[in-house]
Amino acid sequence: MATFLYRLGRFAFRRRHFVALFWVALLALAGAGAAGAPAAGNSSFSIPGTEAQKAFDLLEERFPGSSADGATARVVFKAPDGQKMTDAGNKATVQDTVDALAGGSEVARVTDPYQGGGVSEDGGIAYASVTYEVSGMELEETSREALETAAQDARDAGLTVEIGGDALQAVPETGTAEIIGIGIAAIVLVITLGSLLAAGLPLLTAIVGVGIGVASITALASTLDLGSTTSILASMIGLAVGIDYALFVVSRYRAELAEGREREEAAGRAVGTAGSAVVFAGLTVVIALVGLSVVNIPMLTKMGIAAAATVAIAVLIALTLIPALLGYAGRRVRPAGEKSKLLGGGRGGRGGEQKAQRPNMGTRWASFVVRRPLAVLLLGVVGLGAAAIPAASLELGLPDDGSQPTSTTQRRGYDLLSEGFGPGFNGPLVVVVDAKDSADPQAVFEQAGEEIKGLDNIVDVAPAQPNKAGDTATITVIPDAKPSSVTTEDLVHDIRDAGAGIKADTDAEVLVTGATAMNIDVSQKLNDALVPYLVLVVGLAFLLLIVVFRSILVPLKAALGFLLSVLAALGAVVAVYQWGWLSGLMGVEETGPIMSMMPIFMVGVVFGLAMDYEVFLVTRIREAYVHGEKPRQAVVTGFRYSARVVTAAAVIMMAVFAGFIGSSDSMVRMIGFGLAVAVLFDAFVVRMAIVPAVLALLGTKAWWLPKWLDRALPNVDVEGESLSAHGDPKDEDKELVRV
């Protein structure tokens, strides 16, 4: 592989006009497709194989025209102090609002609070439910404007009016913090590479890669039902790895120049060595992201595949566009150890020579670790273990209006409904009774209602509402606790247990659905999938790393270190978003359960990123070991050449991820924080401390591989050993074309 990538690097350097034109044309094509595509909204949400989804599909079949998947809104009214919603003037205002809403072109139906039991017992609060014919993703802006206008008219009449539901759900925005993250990345690149031009190359190529990826996602959003969150997460991951991968190639290029090689040869060797590490690091990220499909939640699968495609683009750009741009830059990209004149370079003198000869920070740190490996190992493991303690209290759920900031109308509407009707009113359960195979469906409906009324933790059970055929009915159940509580989850299981008894007696099927039941099923499905997902992703990556490092213990160490860092990161997420530690600093207005997708998503992404640093760092160590150095000295040598770059890459990735903490979407905020903390733990504790300590303790055993396995494995030559005897061929681009 190193030889092929070496030729690819030389080809891109020499044929830079062709390579640059190719990527510019691809960016323009993707941009044109995005410009002509409809805007992305919130993708449809389904959970195949769950009871809630089965009930939802049954409603679609047995209650045609009910718009079960349509957008919904709850317009909540509160009377002024000293008045009631049943007063004539307030009643007239509500009636005018209902009439205005009913005239919408996409509105399926509107419930009148005074006819459907929508007034609280004390008369202070009322609500009207609006159901639309289309999903929130397809809802036209004019419908949202009509909803807000009707609410504002009621406010002008003296009522307090708030709107809940998904009809007003906005496309998430990342805010200015993302720009700050990119700015921090730029500063780190300038410090690391000592040149404004060299620092600009990783930023430029990362933006090109993310631009192609996000534009492609936007162009395909409507066709593939990709939500707006998909492109945000793809840009988050694509930007971080794109900068890092380009940084490693540029750094290696400067190191090759420092050894006296010609620029085209240096580009070839940079791609042949650092590029090999980029390929395998990118492959582990892609495996982890594509592996999310094993959960069998379409939304999560699409997010993973879209992000994986963006990572693949970042890899290809690092291997081709970076050497092409280095060809354009020429002598303005200086060898390692030299700075541009703008940053103080070119002054010469003995001081500069002495500084070059002095051990760098990476050398000094590695020397310290290999002298005291056991102490460093214990300190790192104990520290991460302490950070992981909060993860034992992890509670999972999906965000609803109750997790929105108090400044939003959705959250205020949620609070008003809780005040007037109880906390469980925000998460009603819909019980679907399928009595098609029963002799007396009406009797089954009554039996189901009575058995549900006998359960605990229920405020109200509405009478069964049969369909036109009379073989299926819905029963609305109001819990006495908020939707995300353990009490409500237990109630869902109690209803399902009661339904099992009804089925045994009458052959009727009782199913529980609704947003709350759907969230509970999602959490359970994700929990059940976590172990198989870990086995699949870690297993495949473990095999891949055995091929890369030709070792058993090094990949095993990498996997165990990853588990430490991801558990510690989950502990930090629980401490902030569930316990409320530092919530003000992080902008967390409402603590609660951690998003159900968070653990499995973090496992996938963090594993891929952890293997990035493992591959970049350990390949340099193995390269020194392969070329004859003793194990401990190889660790020091590897750190001398890679610690600075790995540190810079980690800081850049943390800055990019942390930038998304400013997003308006709670899921994106939580993921941004979790990934930033995970990179902090994994890069600086696991890879920079635990890894060298373990390698120092293992010595030559770290690189042990059974002879039969060594013969069976392909030799991918990530270290570029085959390039040591490589000359400077003049026609490598022709050879590449033939390959």
Side-chain angles (χ1 to χ4, degrees):
M1 173 176 284
T3 302
F4 171 78
L5 292 178
Y6 166 81
R7 293 173 177 173
L8 178 63
R10 288 177 61 96
F11 173 83
F13 187 96
R14 188 178 300 177
R15 298 288 184 260
R16 47 188 171 273
H17 302 312
F18 169 77
V19 173
L21 182 62
F22 170 80
W23 285 109
V24 170
L26 197 58
L27 178 62
L29 183 64
N42 298 299
S43 65
S44 58
F45 191 79
S46 63
I47 324 166
T50 61
E51 179 173 318
Q53 186 66 45
K54 183 179 179 181
F56 184 87
D57 295 339
L58 188 64
L59 285 175
E60 288 277 286
E61 176 188 343
R62 303 287 175 85
F63 291 82
S66 64
S67 301
D69 63 342
T72 59
R74 274 181 170 177
V75 184
V76 189
F77 307 89
K78 184 177 182 179
D81 293 341
Q83 299 182 24
K84 292 187 176 182
M85 290 305 304
T86 51
D87 294 347
N90 294 335
K91 195 171 182 179
T93 299
V94 172
Q95 190 60 57
D96 290 342
T97 305
V98 170
D99 292 341
L101 292 171
S105 60
E106 294 181 306
V107 173
R109 60 185 175 277
V110 181
T111 61
D112 188 323
Y114 304 100
Q115 296 179 4
V119 182
S120 63
E121 288 185 7
D122 62 3
I125 297 174
Y127 75 94
S129 293
V130 186
T131 303
Y132 292 88
E133 295 174 347
V134 296
S135 66
M137 181 174 132
E138 301 168 322
L139 197 63
E140 294 182 359
E141 192 59 34
T142 53
S143 295
R144 293 190 175 93
E145 292 174 356
L147 178 61
E148 292 175 320
T149 300
Q152 187 58 49
D153 290 342
R155 292 190 190 104
D156 295 340
L159 298 178
T160 298
V161 185
E162 305 296 345
I163 306 171
D166 63 351
L168 290 185
Q169 194 166 11
V171 174
E173 299 175 354
T174 55
T176 56
E178 182 184 353
I179 299 175
I180 295 174
I182 296 176
I184 294 173
I187 294 171
V188 173
L189 285 170
V190 171
I191 295 173
T192 304
L193 298 176
S195 165
L196 292 175
L197 180 62
L201 294 182
L203 282 176
L204 175 62
T205 55
I207 291 171
V208 170
V210 169
I212 293 172
V214 172
S216 301
I217 291 170
T218 304
L220 298 172
S222 179
T223 304
L224 301 181
D225 190 25
L226 303 176
S228 54
T229 306
T230 303
S231 60
I232 292 178
L233 295 177
S235 65
M236 178 194 300
I237 297 170
L239 190 62
V241 301
I243 294 174
D244 279 6
Y245 294 167
L247 169 62
F248 281 107
V249 174
V250 173
S251 298
R252 188 60 184 253
Y253 171 76
R254 296 178 71 236
E256 296 293 336
L257 289 179
E259 293 183 10
R261 292 192 171 87
E262 294 296 326
R263 295 186 177 274
E264 183 178 332
E265 176 69 11
R269 288 180 177 270
V271 176
T273 52
S276 296
V278 165
V279 169
F280 283 98
L283 193 54
T284 58
V285 180
V286 169
I287 288 173
L289 292 171
V290 174
L292 291 170
S293 58
V294 303
V295 184
N296 196 27
I297 294 180
M299 185 182 78
L300 192 59
T301 299
K302 293 171 185 176
M303 287 167 54
I305 292 175
T310 308
V311 171
I313 292 171
V315 171
L316 293 175
I317 282 180
L319 300 179
T320 57
L321 186 56
I322 281 292
L325 294 180
L326 289 172
Y328 283 117
R331 297 185 179 277
R332 284 170 289 185
V333 174
R334 298 171 178 270
E338 293 186 18
K339 294 183 179 180
S340 66
K341 292 182 179 179
L342 186 63
L343 297 175
R347 295 176 183 174
R350 293 182 59 189
E353 294 175 3
Q354 291 173 356
K355 184 177 180 180
Q357 295 172 358
R358 195 166 60 238
N360 60 21
M361 181 64 74
T363 302
R364 295 196 295 272
W365 169 250
S367 299
F368 169 79
V369 173
V370 298
R371 286 197 305 269
R372 298 173 179 83
L374 189 58
V376 172
L377 176 61
L378 290 176
L379 184 62
V381 171
V382 171
L384 291 178
I389 289 175
S393 302
L394 178 68
E395 296 178 9
L396 298 177
L398 285 179
D400 56 15
D401 286 346
S403 62
Q404 297 270 12
T406 53
S407 58
T408 63
T409 185
Q410 292 96 326
R411 172 60 188 276
R412 293 195 295 266
Y414 180 98
D415 292 341
L416 282 178
L417 285 173
S418 297
E419 177 187 340
F421 301 91
F425 200 80
N426 283 292
L429 304 176
V430 180
V431 180
V432 183
V433 184
D434 179 8
K436 189 174 184 179
D437 297 329
S438 301
D440 188 353
Q442 185 60 40
V444 173
F445 301 154
E446 294 175 1
Q447 178 185 348
E450 291 301 320
E451 292 203 22
I452 293 172
K453 286 180 182 178
L455 299 175
D456 296 330
N457 306 314
I458 291 178
V459 172
D460 184 48
V461 178
Q465 301 293 323
N467 63 349
K468 291 182 179 180
D471 58 5
T472 308
T474 60
I475 301 173
T476 302
V477 180
I478 306 298
D480 67 358
K482 63 181 183 180
S484 58
S485 68
V486 176
T487 302
T488 301
E489 182 177 351
D490 291 340
L491 175 59
V492 171
H493 294 310
D494 290 343
I495 295 174
R496 287 172 173 171
D497 291 341
I502 294 173
K503 182 176 178 62
D505 296 338
T506 65
D507 290 330
E509 194 166 17
V510 178
L511 307 170
V512 185
T513 189
T516 301
M518 192 78 80
N519 290 351
I520 292 170
D521 286 353
V522 167
S523 298
Q524 187 61 51
K525 191 176 182 70
L526 289 166
N527 283 339
D528 294 343
L530 185 57
V531 172
Y533 175 69
L534 266 174
V535 171
L536 173 68
V537 172
V538 177
L540 288 176
F542 182 77
L543 294 176
L544 182 65
L545 292 179
I546 288 177
V547 174
V548 173
F549 296 130
R550 309 194 78 76
S551 164
I552 298 293
L553 296 179
V554 170
L556 181 60
K557 164 201 57 75
L560 293 176
F562 150 73
L563 291 176
L564 275 175
S565 58
V566 78
L567 285 174
L570 277 175
V573 170
V574 170
V576 173
Y577 288 89
Q578 186 175 308
W579 291 0
W581 294 5
L582 302 176
S583 57
L585 181 63
M586 295 298 168
V588 180
E589 295 188 21
E590 183 71 22
T591 59
I594 303 304
M595 182 186 63
S596 299
M597 295 183 189
M598 193 68 186
I600 200 163
F601 191 82
M602 278 191 64
V603 165
V605 176
V606 174
F607 183 79
L609 300 180
M611 294 307 103
D612 274 4
Y613 299 119
E614 180 75 12
V615 170
F616 289 132
L617 186 62
V618 179
T619 48
R620 264 296 197 173
I621 296 173
R622 176 166 171 76
E623 183 177 343
Y625 177 76
V626 166
H627 288 101
E629 293 189 11
K630 293 183 178 180
R632 293 199 173 197
Q633 182 57 42
V635 171
V636 176
T637 301
F639 267 70
R640 179 169 71 246
Y641 289 115
S642 61
R644 177 184 175 91
V645 180
V646 169
T647 300
V651 172
I652 289 169
M653 197 170 282
M654 287 167 55
V656 172
F657 287 149
F660 287 83
I661 298 175
S663 171
S664 62
D665 186 272
S666 59
M667 180 175 74
V668 175
R669 285 199 305 269
M670 191 180 295
I671 289 176
F673 172 79
L675 293 182
V677 172
V679 170
L680 172 67
F681 289 151
D682 194 84
F684 292 103
V685 180
V686 175
R687 309 303 154 188
M688 302 296 287
I690 293 178
V691 165
V694 171
L695 290 177
L697 288 171
L698 291 176
T700 56
K701 297 184 183 69
W703 310 109
W704 171 79
L705 187 69
K707 292 183 179 179
W708 63 268
L709 185 57
D710 187 35
R711 290 191 298 267
L713 291 177
N715 184 9
V716 295
D717 189 23
V718 176
E719 302 83 11
E721 188 178 2
S722 61
L723 299 181
S724 59
H726 218 286
D728 294 338
K730 298 181 179 180
D731 297 316
E732 293 292 349
D733 53 325
K734 295 179 181 179
E735 295 180 29
L736 176 65
V737 172
R738 288 199 297 271
V739 172

